[in-house]
Amino acid sequence: MRESEAYSCRAVGIARTPFSDPAATPIQSIFSTARGTVEVYPEFRDGLAALAEFSHIILIYRFHRAAGEELSERPLIDGAEPHGIFATRHFNRPNRLGVSVVRVLGIDEGRVSVEGVDLLDGTPVLDIRPYIPEFDSVPDAGSGWVTPRHVEQIRRQSASF
């Protein structure tokens, strides 16, 4: 066994969202207006100190209902051509890790209220990080195979939630 395969990770909390059907869930958090909460487990709540000062946070979570782990997938929108899994945000990926940026609405007794959720209800949250525009935004970054048409299709799909 490779040393990196021995690593394990535990959830710091669980997402509570209005979504139970993967097919009826926004695809990207940036286009979602849905609200939810992250219920942080008691042993991790001290880690929330000063988090309310940030407007947005990054949620790192496990796609707990993903069908499997693949190295190639068709994108969920406009997915005629498969791409290497690392060139997509598809959920059937090694380790089944997901990342979403959400707006913080408030924090109360271990519950982080957020807007912009695209997670299924019950999703294990592995980490919470502050979104810092100076560190996390790259204005001139390239989008690879993702065209403006593809982005617009995702925006329209997500607007229905």
Side-chain angles (χ1 to χ4, degrees):
M1 179 185 331
R2 287 182 241 156
E3 183 179 330
S4 62
E5 291 177 358
Y7 181 79
S8 66
C9 192
R10 58 192 171 145
V12 300
I14 190 166
R16 295 296 177 200
T17 76
F19 306 113
S20 60
D21 180 359
T25 303
I27 292 176
Q28 295 295 327
S29 61
I30 190 70
F31 302 126
S32 173
T33 57
R35 293 183 175 192
T37 60
V38 176
E39 296 176 2
V40 177
Y41 298 140
E43 63 268 31
F44 298 107
R45 289 182 181 166
D46 287 347
L48 295 172
L51 188 65
E53 298 175 29
F54 293 89
S55 67
H56 291 76
I57 56 176
I58 301 167
L59 299 177
I60 301 170
Y61 50 90
R62 178 141 167 101
F63 289 117
H64 67 297
R65 290 180 48 195
E69 296 181 1
E70 303 294 337
L71 294 179
S72 179
E73 278 288 359
R74 287 178 167 75
L76 298 173
I77 297 289
D78 193 25
E81 179 182 335
H83 299 283
I85 198 69
F86 301 127
T88 75
R89 294 189 173 195
H90 201 284
F91 45 79
N92 286 340
R93 55 193 319 105
N95 297 310
R96 300 178 185 161
L97 296 179
V99 178
S100 294
V101 176
V102 296
R103 175 183 300 279
V104 176
L105 300 175
I107 301 174
D108 184 38
E109 295 188 21
R111 294 180 192 270
V112 183
S113 297
V114 295
E115 181 178 66
V117 295
D118 61 345
L119 289 73
L120 291 172
D121 188 53
T123 296
V125 176
L126 305 177
D127 201 2
I128 301 169
R129 297 187 181 191
Y131 177 88
I132 302 170
E134 293 80 5
F135 302 159
D136 299 315
S137 176
V138 182
D140 58 347
S143 296
W145 61 267
V146 179
T147 66
R149 179 177 172 265
H150 184 85
V151 172
E152 186 54 34
Q153 287 177 300
I154 292 171
R155 182 189 315 271
R156 279 196 310 271
Q157 184 272 348
S158 294
S160 63
F161 300 104

